[in-house]
């Protein structure tokens, strides 16, 4: 059973850079696409971007200037960096796996990131 | 970006009721449509992919239909564990986008 686990700070100061890591267990990170999503408290879901195990990426244009997603296949992990954080970036951040069909089957439990002023 | 519009945004229903949620895409997305269930404090759970295919382990009381721009999710007989928020999501093109959600509450 594939499991994903997000890790990183729960509190980030405004203007700083958020760094989160998603660790994949129970399966290999190879041969799949992996995405980050987020959900502000009480609101809907937003796709941030994906990375393929080979390192190719695609980002949401609304966040593209601030986002970097990277992968470390040796550790079965991929990571998110989001710069210039503001209060609007306060959200639960999820990592997830895309199937070969393009839909998302496995999700992490999510981690709440709060931006403080 | 493709806009996904769900209706209703919330509904009240009783145990045993048949419930239908609608999702409309702002342009054609073929059948690249997924449905998720989300309970408070939990990650989204995938129910349906490719508009009408159940994910492994999802009970058959859930069904999906549609193609192009109009889609529906139906729960045939609502049970207590089904009270949650449901989201549709298109994966026809990037950026991936979600509907605003439908909260299913107990009447």
């Amino acid at each position: 059973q594939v499991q994903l686990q997000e890790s990183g700070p729960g509190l980030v100061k405004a203007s700083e850079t958020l760094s989160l890591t998603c660790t994949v267990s129970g399966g290999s990170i190879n041969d799949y696409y992996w995405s980050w999503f987020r959900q502000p408290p009480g609101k809907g879901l937003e796709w941030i971007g994906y990375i393929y195990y080979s390192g190719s990426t695609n980002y949401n244009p609304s966040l593209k200037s601030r986002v970097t997603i990277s992968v470390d296949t040796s550790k079965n992990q991929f990571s998110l960096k989001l710069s210039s954080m503001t209060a609007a970036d306060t959200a639960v951040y999820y990592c997830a796996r895309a199937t070969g069909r393009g839909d998302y089957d496995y999700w992490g439990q999510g981690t709440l990131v709060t931006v403080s002023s | 970006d493709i806009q996904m519009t769900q209706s209703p945004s919330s509904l009240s229903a009783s145990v045993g009721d048949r419930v239908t949620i609608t999702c409309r895409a702002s342009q054609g997305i073929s059948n690249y449509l997924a449905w998720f269930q989300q309970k408070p404090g939990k990650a989204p759970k995938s129910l349906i992919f490719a508009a009408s295919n159940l994910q492994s382990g999802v009970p058959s009381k859930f069904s999906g239909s549609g193609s192009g721009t109009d889609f529906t999710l139906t729960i045939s007989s609502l049970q207590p564990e089904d009270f949650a928020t449901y989201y549709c999501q298109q994966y026809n093109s990037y950026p991936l986008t979600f509907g605003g959600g439908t909260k299913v509450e107990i009447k």
Side-chain angles (χ1 to χ4, degrees), chain A residues 18-42:
Chain A
L18 169 68
S19 293
L20 295 176
T21 295
C22 183
T23 301
V24 180
S25 59
S28 174
I29 202 166
N30 292 335
D31 300 324
Y32 288 96
Y33 288 83
W34 305 87
S35 273
W36 288 97
F37 297 85
R38 69 181 183 176
Q39 184 172 36

Side-chain angles (χ1 to χ4, degrees), chain B:
Chain B
D1 299 6
I2 297 176
Q3 307 304 315
M4 306 300 292
T5 304
Q6 278 183 244
S7 60
S9 56
S10 65
L11 64 90
S12 295
S14 300
V15 172
D17 283 354
R18 180 183 180 90
V19 168
T20 297
I21 298 168
T22 296
C23 179
R24 175 165 289 176
S26 61
Q27 64 190 76
I29 59 170
S30 185
N31 68 337
Y32 295 105
L33 190 284
W35 288 98
F36 294 90
Q37 176 193 66
Q38 187 177 36
K39 296 180 179 179
K42 300 295 187 180
K45 174 187 175 182
S46 177
L47 299 176
I48 287 173
F49 64 92
S52 60
N53 295 272
L54 257 59
Q55 285 283 6
S56 175
V58 173
S60 59
K61 61 182 172 180
F62 293 97
S63 63
S65 65
S67 183
T69 59
D70 294 315
F71 303 86
T72 59
L73 172 70
T74 299
I75 309 171
S76 60
S77 177
L78 205 62
Q79 296 302 305
E81 63 270 18
D82 302 328
F83 292 95
T85 300
Y86 293 84
Y87 293 94
C88 61
Q89 180 233 325
Q90 67 81 20
Y91 53 100
N92 177 77
S93 63
Y94 290 94
L96 305 179
T97 48
F98 292 82
T102 296
K103 187 174 184 178
V104 177
E105 298 176 301
I106 301 173
K107 182 182 285 185

